[in-house]
């Protein structure tokens, strides 16, 4: 049994919970911050600094936009050079992510990502997948007590085509928390 527990594939397919950290940052900060928090796997979806095996993916990721079809119809590959979905094929990271979300129910914790249009297609894939059971936002809290929770929800809503599903799975503010609290009162 100990041998099987060391096998990542076995853990992923047979044990719950399995924690995947999807890092959108190019640095090793996620690994540094969460190394001691029972993270089973980190996927650096947009590459890593100074890595030949996982080069940086920089560009735009909103193929759901109406203008994207117009760009494709131009038949000029130069316009597609910095489209993230095309660059994802340079490594196996995106495929590993798809394999993970197909395994079973998962919950998304959003920490430090704006959920803007630059990753819209990827976020849509994650948010509208049948296995996505909830999306919990860790929002930014300001010194004056204000926060950006509603701004994040507005951005998240743009990543959904199915708005009723969005209302069902996005966790309400009362059950979310600031990423770095400035006040002592924090939701559980």
């Amino acid at each position: 049994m100990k041998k099987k527990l060391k096998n990542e594939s076995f853990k992923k397919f047979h044990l719950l919970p399995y924690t995947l950290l999807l890092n959108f940052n190019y640095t090793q900060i996620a690994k540094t911050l969460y190394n001691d928090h029972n993270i089973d796997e980190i996927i650096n979806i947009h590459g890593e600094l100074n890595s030949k095996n996982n080069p940086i993916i920089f560009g735009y990721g909103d193929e759901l936009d109406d203008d994207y079809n117009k760009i494709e119809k131009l038949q000029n590959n130069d316009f597609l050079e910095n489209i993230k979905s095309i660059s994802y094929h340079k490594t196996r990271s995106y495929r590993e992510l798809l394999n993970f979300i197909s395994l079973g129910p998962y919950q998304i914790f959003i920490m430090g990502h704006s959920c803007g249009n630059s990753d819209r297609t990827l976020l849509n894939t994650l948010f509208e997948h049948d296995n996505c059971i909830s999306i919990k936002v860790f929002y930014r809290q300001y010194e004056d007590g204000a926060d950006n929770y509603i701004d994040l929800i507005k951005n998240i809503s743009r990543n959904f085509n199915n708005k009723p599903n969005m209302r069902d799975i996005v966790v309400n503010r009362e059950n979310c928390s600031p990423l770095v609290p400035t006040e002592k009162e924090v939701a559980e």
Side-chain angles (χ1 to χ4, degrees), residues 110-115 137-156 173 176-180:
I110 298 183
M111 298 181 281
H113 195 292
S114 71
C115 298
V137 174
F138 289 83
Y139 53 87
R140 182 174 180 186
Q141 187 176 51
Y142 304 104
E143 292 293 328
D144 66 359
D147 62 63
N148 72 339
Y149 174 82
I150 288 297
D151 288 333
L152 288 170
I153 298 306
K154 291 172 186 176
N155 288 345
I156 288 169
R173 187 186 186 290
C176 291
S177 303
L179 185 58
V180 179

Side-chain angles (χ1 to χ4, degrees), residues 123-141:
L123 294 176
N124 174 267
T125 300
L126 295 173
F127 294 172
E128 291 197 336
H129 194 280
D130 290 339
N131 288 336
C132 182
I133 57 173
S134 74
I135 300 169
K136 185 172 182 173
V137 174
F138 289 83
Y139 53 87
R140 182 174 180 186
Q141 187 176 51

